[in-house]
Amino acid sequence: MLRANDGTRTGGEILIDQLVIHGVQHVFCVPGESYLAALDAFYDRPITLTVCRAEGGATMMAEAVGKATGRPGIVFCTRGPGATNASPGIHIAMQDSTPLIVFVGQVAREMREREAFQELDYKAVFGSMTKWAVEIDDPARIPEIVSRAFYTACNGRPGPVVIALPEDMLVERVAVPDAPSFEPVEMWPGLADMAKLQKLLWAAKSPIVLAGGSRWSEAACAALQRFAERFAVPVATTFRRAHLFDALHDCYAGDLGIGANPKLVSRIKAADVVLLIGGRMGELPSQSYSLFDIPGVRQTFIHVHPGSEELGRVYHPHLAINAAPTGFCAALEGLQPPNDIPWRAETKAAHADYVAWTEKATPQPGPVNLGEIVIWLRENLPPDALITNGAGNFSTWLHRFFRFRKFGQHVAPTSGSMGYGPPAAVGLKRLYPHRQVVCLAGDGDFLMNGQDFMTAVQYELPLIVIIVDNGTYGTIRMHQEREYPNRVIGTDLKNPDFVAYAKAFGGFGILVEKTADFMPAFRACEKSGKPSIIHLKVDTNISTPMLTLETIREKSLASAKSS
Ligand SMILES: Cc1ncc(C[n+]2csc(CCOP(=O)(O)OP(=O)(O)O)c2C)c(N)n1
Ligand SMILES: [Mg+2]
């Protein structure tokens, strides 16, 4: 489309100009005729577009970019079928508190409410899983609405915004000034908050810090680390947020997620002061809401969260601080530790417990030990490598044995959505082409978005996907054996030859059937310079680092007999 010289722009041009102004560098999309005028505007604008194979994966790529940068990830999808396909990525952004803006096509304004082709009522459909769902009726209001979307996605507790774009609105020409560029708004704690916090910490006998949620940065993590050192306080991280604290730091107490170290759980229960920074302490980190009493927490509970609606939502805080981890951690520099720190030895013991828990792989049935493989990765990946995964028991080895040491190193859904790892890896490799990106996937997990392996091939992104093939939706099989022993139904999987799959897509593939073969296979992937898949065949009987399916089944049968 030719540019007009009368000062007017189409809605599509105005829209993409706003993205440039707000600093967007990457956009993910599956094209649709519904937003053709917006797509066209990318043609001559400085934004890198990644065309994907399905909207679920495209939205997860954008969400991963949102997680990595703290600024909204951007995805474009077509009307009804595209937008509904995007929904798992939107749900992840909601539960994981990630800034994300989803642009979706919409039918022409004059056709609305007739159930025109692929029409969807976005406000109704996405109302409960976004921070804001809106439709732009007037192209003159694009700068205002897009600017608000950036603030809304990032302000307070971050989350997703859906913006619907009626197709005729995108081709209408208007003259309108651009919005000023957006910057996320910092949320600082008040001086009085910090003074109260200092008092509570000075009165503590055995405090613990829990770090979680979003709105962190490298600087915030470094500030938290300095605070932990000065106060000699133990710091644990919540489910899938282990990258917030250096695992080998003397103050690191461990990962509070699925299959958490029982010693860590007891330590938190025994603490007299709990400082939760950024997290919601949802179902998984709270060990199914068993860790703290609801609503009145027995311990002195200090909750720092950027969303005021989260404070007092589940747990009654003794001190609530409405601040972002970035602002709060900077303010921690101003606190003075007590002269005599009575809990110093406890912190040492907490870290020793963590190191012991993660040091050595547990014995496993069959010739592949996933624990040993994860330990090899932790010792051999470059320090700035990024690791992604979706949901499934395969990930429990990563949570337990990988020692995340750098902010942003682990990118995985706290919402437990399968299919996240491959697209997240693609998104991150687009963002950071020079960092190594490794995806750990289950056999079920991988094929939920495995088609985006092709996107990695298309853009020549040499990421490495490790598919843990146990021939089952193993997590569900585990629950099945526990609740309905010996009645396996709906969980077995027949899998493709993933090596042939990788090759058919134009990537590199290699089969691994025993632990010792993993290392040379990984090196072969690196050497290939191509997107790669390691097809890692494991025994179906393995279930978690601690239990096999057999032991779960036997335990269940024995307890049924005795009751
Ligand atoms: C999108 C989605 N669908 C279904 C589930 C339920 N679910 C959780 S784990 C799991 C099985 C995962 O299987 P796989 O990827 O093979 O990993 P494994 O548990 O076998 O290691 C299922 C079906 C989910 N979490 N997300
Ligand atoms: Mg499996």
Side-chain angles (χ1 to χ4, degrees):
M1 191 172 289
L2 288 177
R3 297 267 188 118
N5 54 14
D6 60 356
T8 65
R9 291 173 289 178
T10 65
E13 289 169 334
I14 298 166
L15 177 67
I16 308 310
D17 283 342
Q18 304 317 298
L19 300 187
V20 174
I21 285 163
H22 295 312
V24 172
Q25 288 170 353
H26 287 272
V27 167
F28 301 88
C29 80
V30 175
E33 71 276 26
S34 59
Y35 69 88
L36 213 52
L39 191 60
D40 177 74
F42 282 109
Y43 193 86
D44 39 19
R45 280 170 181 78
I47 289 181
T48 306
L49 190 68
T50 302
V51 58
C52 310
R53 300 293 165 146
E55 292 83 355
T59 309
M60 291 178 200
M61 290 179 204
E63 196 274 350
V65 167
K67 266 199 176 93
T69 61
R71 299 175 71 95
I74 309 288
V75 63
F76 276 71
C77 309
T78 201
R79 294 172 291 216
T84 47
N85 262 356
S87 59
I90 297 173
H91 185 255
I92 293 167
M94 191 71 191
Q95 289 231 305
D96 287 31
S97 310
T98 310
L100 174 76
I101 304 178
V102 184
F103 291 96
V104 293
Q106 178 61 302
V107 301
R109 287 166 292 187
E110 79 238 19
M111 295 181 189
R112 274 184 307 201
E113 298 292 335
R114 292 181 185 158
E115 198 186 331
F117 182 60
Q118 303 181 335
E119 184 176 354
L120 200 64
D121 177 348
Y122 293 111
K123 288 186 195 181
V125 172
F126 293 114
S128 70
M129 60 169 176
T130 54
K131 288 184 76 181
W132 189 36
V134 63
E135 198 155 305
I136 305 183
D137 278 333
D138 176 359
R141 293 193 64 191
I142 291 174
E144 171 201 343
I145 291 173
V146 173
S147 172
R148 177 172 164 195
F150 274 80
Y151 281 104
T152 304
C154 294
N155 277 352
R157 177 183 171 194
V161 170
V162 167
I163 302 185
L165 309 165
E167 103 181 47
D168 60 326
M169 185 280 293
L170 287 176
V171 293
E172 194 180 323
R173 285 189 168 279
V174 288
V176 62
D178 292 322
S181 71
F182 129 98
E183 270 309 316
V185 180
E186 187 54 274
M187 293 181 73
W188 304 96
L191 281 177
D193 293 332
M194 297 312 281
K196 280 184 201 157
L197 174 61
Q198 165 135 348
K199 239 180 162 175
L200 292 174
L201 288 172
W202 278 48
K205 300 240 154 20
S206 55
I208 192 159
V209 176
L210 307 176
S214 66
R215 297 197 65 169
W216 287 86
S217 65
E218 214 162 319
C221 292
L224 176 62
Q225 190 172 311
R226 285 191 293 272
F227 164 77
E229 284 161 10
R230 290 189 303 117
F231 279 73
V233 72
V235 179
T237 49
T238 64
F239 181 55
R240 294 197 167 148
R241 306 289 191 183
H243 65 100
L244 296 178
F245 207 84
D246 177 357
L248 288 183
H249 190 277
D250 288 346
C251 293
Y252 190 56
D255 178 34
L256 185 61
I258 298 178
N261 185 350
K263 286 190 176 166
L264 174 62
V265 175
S266 317
R267 197 172 287 284
I268 296 169
K269 283 188 175 156
D272 64 343
V273 173
V274 176
L275 169 58
L276 170 61
I277 310 172
R280 293 188 293 121
M281 208 32 102
E283 181 179 343
L284 298 190
S286 70
Q287 315 292 303
S288 299
Y289 296 107
S290 68
L291 206 47
F292 302 120
D293 295 334
I294 296 172
V297 181
R298 188 172 40 78
Q299 294 97 326
T300 300
F301 186 65
I302 304 145
H303 195 180
V304 181
H305 201 283
S308 58
E309 70 286 353
E310 284 307 314
L311 297 168
R313 175 178 175 173
V314 181
Y315 308 101
H316 174 94
H318 295 81
L319 173 60
I321 301 182
N322 191 196
T326 40
F328 176 78
C329 289
L332 281 174
E333 308 273 14
L335 295 195
Q336 287 308 314
N339 293 332
D340 179 33
I341 297 176
W343 56 78
R344 218 177 260 283
E346 276 301 306
T347 304
K348 258 196 168 159
H351 185 60
D353 286 348
Y354 166 76
V355 171
W357 176 249
T358 54
E359 188 65 16
K360 268 176 79 180
T362 49
Q364 296 295 319
V368 169
N369 186 319
L370 251 182
E372 285 171 18
I373 286 174
V374 170
I375 288 170
W376 185 84
L377 288 170
R378 93 179 175 206
E379 262 137 42
N380 288 281
L381 286 183
D384 67 345
L386 297 159
I387 301 183
T388 70
N389 61 269
N393 272 11
F394 67 88
S395 70
T396 55
W397 278 270
L398 188 69
H399 294 312
R400 168 127 175 213
F401 296 110
F402 200 91
R403 291 169 173 166
F404 294 98
R405 305 204 54 194
K406 210 174 149 55
F407 170 70
Q409 204 184 5
H410 189 202
V411 179
T414 67
S415 74
S417 182
M418 288 171 72
Y420 183 82
V426 172
L428 294 172
K429 193 72 183 169
R430 268 316 241 167
L431 194 61
Y432 305 119
H434 302 299
R435 290 173 74 172
Q436 185 158 50
V437 178
V438 176
C439 164
L440 190 66
D443 45 351
D445 177 53
F446 176 77
L447 277 183
M448 283 210 179
N449 278 314
Q451 69 275 24
D452 271 312
F453 185 69
M454 197 61 224
T455 309
V457 174
Q458 180 162 344
Y459 292 98
E460 299 177 7
L461 309 173
L463 46 85
I464 300 175
V465 184
I466 303 161
I467 302 178
V468 182
D469 175 1
N470 57 359
T472 171
Y473 283 126
T475 313
I476 312 307
R477 172 82 184 268
M478 167 186 77
H479 294 302
Q480 208 161 46
E481 295 283 7
R482 192 189 60 233
E483 302 296 325
Y484 307 99
N486 273 329
R487 290 170 63 83
V488 179
I489 184 160
T491 47
D492 282 350
L493 291 174
K494 185 176 164 81
N495 282 316
D497 172 346
F498 287 113
V499 174
Y501 179 107
K503 289 182 180 163
F505 278 49
F508 176 80
I510 188 163
L511 179 68
V512 171
E513 294 183 286
K514 53 182 201 292
T515 309
D517 292 345
F518 182 82
M519 191 268 275
F522 193 86
R523 294 297 185 213
C525 293
E526 289 177 319
K527 210 164 150 228
S528 78
K530 292 180 177 178
S532 304
I533 289 178
I534 297 178
H535 185 168
L536 184 62
K537 280 203 172 157
V538 303
D539 195 317
T540 301
N541 190 27
I542 72 161
S543 186
T544 74
M546 305 303 275
L547 295 166
T548 61
L549 286 176
E550 207 175 337
T551 50
I552 294 166
R553 181 167 53 237
E554 278 165 6
K555 232 168 118 183
S556 175
L557 289 168
S559 76
K561 238 189 204 163
S562 66
S563 63

